[in-house]
Amino acid sequence: LAKTTQPPSMEAYEGQEVNVSCSHTNIATSEYIYWYRQVPHQGPQFIIQGYKDYVVNEVASLFISADRKLSTLSLPWVSLRDAAVYYCIVTGPGTGSNRLTFGKGTKFSLIP
Amino acid sequence: GPKVLQIPSHQIIDMGQMVTLNCDPVSNHLYFYWYKQILGQQMEFLVNFYNGKVMEKSKLFKDQFSVERPDGSYFTLKIQPTALEDSAVYFCASSPGTGNTGQLYFGEGSKLTVL
């Protein structure tokens, strides 16, 4: 399973766009990139997944570099409900494992 | 969206007692998981379960831990006997098990306090 590296924390003002980066230099060709977030006192929630290029849904967008070693989760117009820990996870079929391995994630906070 | 329900939301027990945490996974999901999270720390994988069997387990899944899902009922995590270090929030998750292997649905957790 590819290891991921994220910034430990980020801050922004309400209404700004926030970009959370994730490095996965050893990503395998069979692996996908998943993003989850966890707000206090709740379980992680799936946000978005991608394999290459650009993916967008109603919550966020995901840009994946051409070599797939870096991905960036973009949250438009952040509000209080976006304050959470964001996890980037790389996994896929053929890894021999069906588990998700969570790192320390990126803690995103709003600047008062 | 699909929801995973966990019961109880919080349980306080004395060390050495048995505890059973219950999980009602998303209907038609085939894979089930338990994770452990100590306050302020990372989510740690415990075990996953498919077709009535444990598929993978981590070192945290001690001999005192067991999981089962009798037909059509809750997916349970039993700890017997409990220890102080078992105090944590336990999250259950489920996934369809086919295709999108990385998309899990998590419950809101069961907080276990061992005194």
Side-chain angles (χ1 to χ4, degrees), chain A residues 32 34 36 38-39 41-46 49 87 89 91-93 95-105, chain B residues 31 33 35 37 41-45 48 56-58 91 95 97 99-109:
Chain A
Y32 286 68
Y34 297 84
Y36 283 77
Q38 185 179 23
V39 300
H41 312 298
Q42 291 188 25
Q45 180 186 32
F46 170 80
Q49 72 173 81
Y87 299 99
I89 300 171
T91 190
T95 61
S97 174
N98 210 36
R99 69 171 75 177
L100 289 186
T101 300
F102 288 82
K104 295 183 179 178
Chain B
Y31 278 84
Y33 310 77
Y35 282 79
Q37 187 173 39
Q41 297 186 22
Q42 292 175 216
M43 291 272 290
E44 303 278 5
F45 170 81
N48 60 17
E56 298 174 88
K57 59 184 180 180
S58 72
F91 291 97
S95 71
N100 197 346
T101 57
Q103 188 171 344
L104 272 57
Y105 295 81
F106 285 84
E108 296 197 348

Side-chain angles (χ1 to χ4, degrees), chain B residues 49-109:
Chain B
F49 189 85
Y50 169 74
N51 198 26
K53 301 175 199 171
V54 170
M55 300 301 290
E56 298 174 88
K57 59 184 180 180
S58 72
K59 292 179 183 177
L60 294 178
F61 194 77
K62 304 179 296 184
D63 291 343
Q64 298 90 325
F65 287 40
S66 63
V67 292
E68 64 175 356
R69 192 189 187 210
D71 293 340
S73 64
Y74 291 140
F75 174 53
T76 63
L77 173 65
K78 184 185 292 186
I79 309 174
Q80 181 179 26
T82 51
L84 294 177
E85 60 264 27
D86 296 330
S87 293
V89 180
Y90 291 84
F91 291 97
C92 174
S94 68
S95 71
T98 55
N100 197 346
T101 57
Q103 188 171 344
L104 272 57
Y105 295 81
F106 285 84
E108 296 197 348

